Amino acid sequence: MTRELINRFLIYLLIAVCTLWLIIPFTMAVLWSLVDPAEPWTADKLMPPVVSFYRWHNMWVNSSLKEALLNSYTLAPSAAILTLLLAIPTSFALGRISFPGREVAKVIALLPLVVPPFVTAIFFTSLLFSLGLHAWRFGAILFAHSVLFLPYAIRIMTVSFEQVRQDHIDAARDLSASTIARWRVAYLPALKPGILASLLIVFIQSIEEFAIAFIVGSPNFVTIPTLLFGSLGQDFVRPNAAVLSLILVVPNVILMLFLEKLLRSANPSMSSGKGMA
Amino acid sequence: MGTVQVNGLQMRFGDFLALPDISVSVDEGEFVTLLGPSGCGKTTLLKLISGFLKPTAGTIHIAGKEVTHVPPETRDTAMCFQSYALFPHLSVRENLEFGLRQKRIAAAERDQRLDRVAEQLKLGPQLEKLPNQLSGGQQQRVALGRALIMRPTVILFDEPLSNLDAKLRDTVRMEIRRIQKDYNLTAIYVTHDQSEALALSDRVMIMNGGRIEQIASPEELYWSPRTSFVADFIGGANVLDAEVIGGKGEDHWVLSTPLGELVAASGTEPKSKKIKICWRPEVVQPDGNGPNRIETQISERSFQGSFTDLFFTAAEQTFRVQLPEPTVRSGENLAFSIRPQDIVMLESMQ
């Protein structure tokens, strides 16, 4: 009985801590974004003295926010789709074809992730410049993001391909399914969660990526992070940064929740026969 | 020529020769079981017949047409998988219809075939459910239905009952046999369970190490095994070495064995002077007054229900005798006899 009580107490405590962990920074960001320039929010006051949407309006009208939003939200989905397309053949090979050195190849595919992103960015951009790709800034950043975030997509899709059941493929063939029908009935249901997860991860990575977008893009091509880091620079205005960071984070959270729901509806372990517990 | 005709089939995986040379013919409406221990090549042979593997030599004909290199999607076979391999995201109806849709069968005929299969397999109430909402036995029936609905020339079973519990296995087994007879299907069935093979089949093909040991009716396999492998694999016969020391009248052979001198008269001739012989544990005559009398000390007794297993050792070999309600206890002596026609002469000794 007491044990149960302690358990329940600990669970509530954990939920409370997690909630605070999420809520405090968000609340701070929201509050800061609402500070009116008429009177600054100084350390001696618990709440901002004057609250208004001035900063939001101001950022919307006077900064390159609209352009940055447009750029970021075209770039990120394009990078997500391109990365997925690039990852699928490799993942298929790593997940479904047995060849000597497969396990080593899987590790090598992940290796680029251990290099600090800024280091990669500097050398990758010099590569882009020597290729002459920088003339088309959008294309250059798209290419760079797709290559850089490929390891995530490859890793996720490899696991997904490993989960496709050979007996489902065989059954489809045995029942006269064409190559396309075979993909639809045996591969796609098992790959769906992986596809969604790769798209989301690359999307979020791309939308938050600063280094390459800055080196290749600035000053003509703004994305949300370059704009954000710009306003963290020499003329640092905390309320403006709060507006930008909220704009950056809110769509991601929504996407995350959306994906969580999708993933739940496409359960790969849902199956029959031998594989079932 | 049989409905399924396999000639000189060879399968090599790298250095490993899985099937050296298999020839077998299965007639229309016949139920043939491939039986053997794991790794004997029975599943490889089934995969060759279904088209999932390409043989390194030999030919396969189905219904008179050569299909050796025809892929499974265009081969007129349907497979019932061990894992059932039902598509988890499709309903029972969609699973059953899948093959017909691939073959672009008209909707009217599709519905008609679906109704028939659903009725026959009692799947009507389950049609709109997903596979994971069904019990193991129901999933098994969907897998069977999905193969049946294709009306294939040959239906192939890959250990379809191995995931069911013992009680269900018996009912599904009878159902498979009934449907196979109703449709007059040609069926090839792979299993490692000898009781399944004996109960279901018209003929059983015993495989060992990629070779066919014997193809025969269940009764013939049981009572007239041709090799010691078959004798031991089916029902666990007592196999022993013997030397032919003389003939005695027509068909009677006198043998010198670790159990003493025995007379065999099972209607075959010994293949050489030194051979292997076998007798079934249940053929012993408890009176001990007949020919081939053996008196021995029982080392172990194990009650099995309708009969009791008694074990004794002779010449460092353990033998098994089955008797209903024996009075003998372990440590006591038992005398019994074996009729000459129950001693089967097997292959020559190597």
Side-chain angles (χ1 to χ4, degrees):
Chain A
M1 197 59 205
T2 47
R3 201 193 171 102
E4 203 175 300
L5 269 175
I6 293 171
N7 273 342
R8 190 170 296 174
F9 172 74
L10 286 176
I11 287 172
Y12 284 134
L13 187 72
L14 186 69
I15 292 172
V17 169
C18 290
T19 319
L20 286 179
W21 196 271
L22 276 174
I23 282 177
I24 291 176
F26 260 93
T27 322
M28 291 304 284
V30 171
L31 286 177
W32 270 109
S33 76
L34 295 174
V35 170
D36 193 88
E39 197 172 331
W41 186 14
T42 45
D44 56 327
K45 300 188 180 80
L46 185 65
M47 296 289 283
V50 185
V51 173
S52 76
F53 280 104
Y54 172 81
R55 304 285 180 181
W56 287 82
H57 183 254
N58 182 45
M59 285 303 286
W60 187 255
V61 176
N62 293 330
S63 72
S64 34
L65 181 59
K66 271 172 281 183
E67 198 192 327
L69 276 174
L70 181 71
N71 284 342
S72 280
Y73 280 93
T74 10
L75 186 67
S78 316
I81 291 167
L82 184 62
T83 311
L84 181 70
L85 292 179
L86 289 175
I88 281 176
T90 316
S91 311
F92 179 82
L94 290 176
R96 293 220 69 82
I97 303 169
S98 60
F99 55 89
R102 180 165 79 159
E103 294 309 310
V104 179
K106 280 186 197 169
V107 175
I108 289 174
L110 279 181
L111 269 187
L113 294 181
V114 303
V115 184
F118 223 104
V119 177
T120 329
I122 289 166
F123 292 102
F124 201 89
T125 44
S126 77
L127 194 73
L128 290 176
F129 279 100
S130 58
L131 284 172
L133 250 178
H134 62 286
W136 182 36
R137 292 176 197 279
F138 178 84
I141 300 172
L142 174 65
F143 173 66
H145 281 186
S146 306
V147 172
L148 285 188
F149 305 136
L150 204 52
Y152 294 105
I154 288 179
R155 188 68 200 128
I156 296 170
M157 292 312 293
T158 302
V159 174
S160 293
F161 271 110
E162 282 167 353
Q163 283 180 349
V164 176
R165 281 175 44 176
Q166 188 60 43
D167 60 342
H168 288 157
I169 303 169
D170 288 349
R173 288 189 73 185
D174 195 56
L175 295 164
S176 315
S178 63
T179 313
I180 294 168
R182 225 179 290 158
W183 268 86
R184 276 189 31 206
V185 78
Y187 283 90
L188 213 50
L191 293 181
K192 206 166 115 194
I195 291 175
L196 292 173
S198 322
L199 285 177
L200 185 87
I201 283 180
V202 177
F203 182 91
I204 289 176
Q205 291 282 337
S206 164
I207 222 161
E208 291 184 339
E209 201 277 337
F210 168 71
I212 287 185
F214 182 74
I215 300 173
V216 179
S218 65
N220 301 339
F221 190 87
V222 247
T223 63
I224 301 171
T226 57
L227 191 65
L228 175 67
F229 282 82
S231 38
L232 287 177
Q234 40 180 270
D235 43 20
F236 172 60
V237 186
R238 197 188 297 267
N240 290 351
V243 171
L244 282 174
S245 47
L246 279 175
I247 287 173
L248 182 63
V249 81
V250 168
N252 288 357
V253 172
I254 294 170
L255 265 174
M256 196 75 121
L257 295 174
F258 174 67
L259 188 96
E260 183 59 29
K261 241 190 144 55
L262 279 180
L263 283 183
R264 211 168 289 166
S265 66
N267 181 0
S269 62
M270 174 183 80
S271 195
S272 59
K274 219 180 190 177
M276 207 166 105
Chain B
M1 196 177 200
T3 297
V4 179
Q5 186 78 42
V6 169
N7 283 320
L9 210 59
Q10 185 207 62
M11 188 65 212
R12 191 184 280 283
F13 298 104
D15 288 337
F16 174 64
L17 191 57
L19 299 175
D21 179 14
I22 296 274
S23 295
V24 64
S25 165
V26 177
D27 290 331
E28 196 186 339
E30 196 180 20
F31 198 115
V32 172
T33 299
L34 313 185
L35 177 67
S38 37
C40 71
K42 56 191 192 296
T43 302
T44 303
L45 180 54
L46 194 77
K47 283 187 171 169
L48 286 166
I49 295 171
S50 60
F52 287 111
L53 286 177
K54 299 239 181 302
T56 40
T59 58
I60 302 166
H61 288 77
I62 291 176
K65 269 181 283 185
E66 185 178 342
V67 295
T68 317
H69 296 286
V70 173
E73 48 268 41
T74 45
R75 208 177 272 207
D76 192 13
T77 58
M79 175 96 118
C80 219
F81 289 85
Q82 180 178 26
S83 58
Y84 314 144
L86 302 176
F87 304 123
H89 61 295
L90 299 184
S91 69
V92 170
R93 176 191 297 279
E94 289 165 326
N95 263 290
L96 290 172
E97 283 180 347
F98 183 82
L100 300 181
R101 283 187 187 273
Q102 300 311 314
K103 286 202 152 178
R104 304 191 192 289
I105 305 279
E109 193 189 338
R110 205 169 64 213
D111 290 345
Q112 189 201 331
R113 285 205 206 176
L114 183 86
D115 288 345
R116 169 116 199 257
V117 164
E119 189 201 317
Q120 197 135 29
L121 294 167
K122 302 179 198 78
L123 285 170
Q126 269 76 45
L127 282 179
E128 308 311 324
K129 289 186 186 165
L130 288 175
N132 66 351
Q133 296 170 302
L134 305 180
S135 68
Q138 287 167 335
Q139 292 186 14
Q140 216 290 323
R141 289 212 294 273
V142 178
L144 177 60
R146 194 174 62 175
L148 280 178
I149 205 166
M150 302 300 283
R151 310 226 168 130
T153 308
V154 192
I155 188 160
L156 307 168
F157 294 92
D158 184 11
E159 308 209 18
L161 307 183
S162 58
N163 289 318
L164 299 178
D165 60 66
K167 212 170 163 189
L168 203 54
R169 212 175 292 167
D170 286 351
T171 16
V172 179
R173 181 160 93 184
M174 288 193 301
E175 205 161 79
I176 288 180
R177 182 63 165 158
R178 175 176 62 81
I179 287 165
Q180 182 261 339
K181 281 204 167 132
D182 282 359
Y183 282 82
N184 192 33
L185 282 170
T186 309
I188 299 178
Y189 189 103
V190 162
T191 184
H192 62 265
D193 179 337
Q194 50 136 324
S195 67
E196 218 169 279
L198 296 181
L200 276 168
S201 325
D202 294 317
R203 277 192 303 159
V204 180
M205 171 166 151
I206 309 264
M207 292 182 70
N208 180 31
R211 279 164 225 280
I212 301 176
E213 290 275 337
Q214 192 172 355
I215 314 181
S217 69
E219 291 81 1
E220 196 185 332
L221 274 183
Y222 192 83
W223 295 116
S224 315
R226 223 178 288 150
T227 64
S228 52
F229 179 83
V230 175
D232 184 51
F233 196 75
I234 300 281
N238 295 303
V239 178
L240 57 161
D241 300 342
E243 194 179 341
V244 184
I245 49 177
K248 186 180 149 193
E250 206 169 313
D251 281 355
H252 279 61
W253 303 90
V254 183
L255 311 163
S256 154
T257 76
L259 293 177
E261 211 164 274
L262 296 176
V263 178
S266 58
T268 50
E269 287 201 3
K271 294 202 170 63
S272 66
K273 196 165 161 59
K274 286 193 169 186
I275 55 169
K276 283 186 180 289
I277 61 166
C278 78
W279 49 276
R280 295 269 162 209
E282 70 273 22
V283 299
V284 296
Q285 309 292 318
D287 50 18
N289 292 328
N292 297 332
R293 184 175 189 276
I294 294 165
E295 187 166 352
T296 182
Q297 193 189 33
I298 298 303
S299 57
E300 208 129 352
R301 181 188 152 112
S302 134
F303 177 67
Q304 301 283 350
S306 57
F307 59 87
T308 300
D309 274 330
L310 302 169
F311 296 92
F312 68 90
T313 309
E316 292 172 3
Q317 199 183 344
T318 302
F319 295 92
R320 189 162 62 113
V321 171
Q322 276 173 4
L323 286 173
E325 298 173 43
T327 50
V328 63
R329 309 254 139 225
S330 47
E332 290 175 5
N333 273 13
L334 174 76
F336 60 88
S337 58
I338 306 169
R339 294 180 304 174
Q341 64 263 40
D342 288 330
I343 292 181
V344 183
M345 291 186 282
L346 307 167
E347 79 271 24
S348 326
M349 262 166 57
Q350 258 90 50

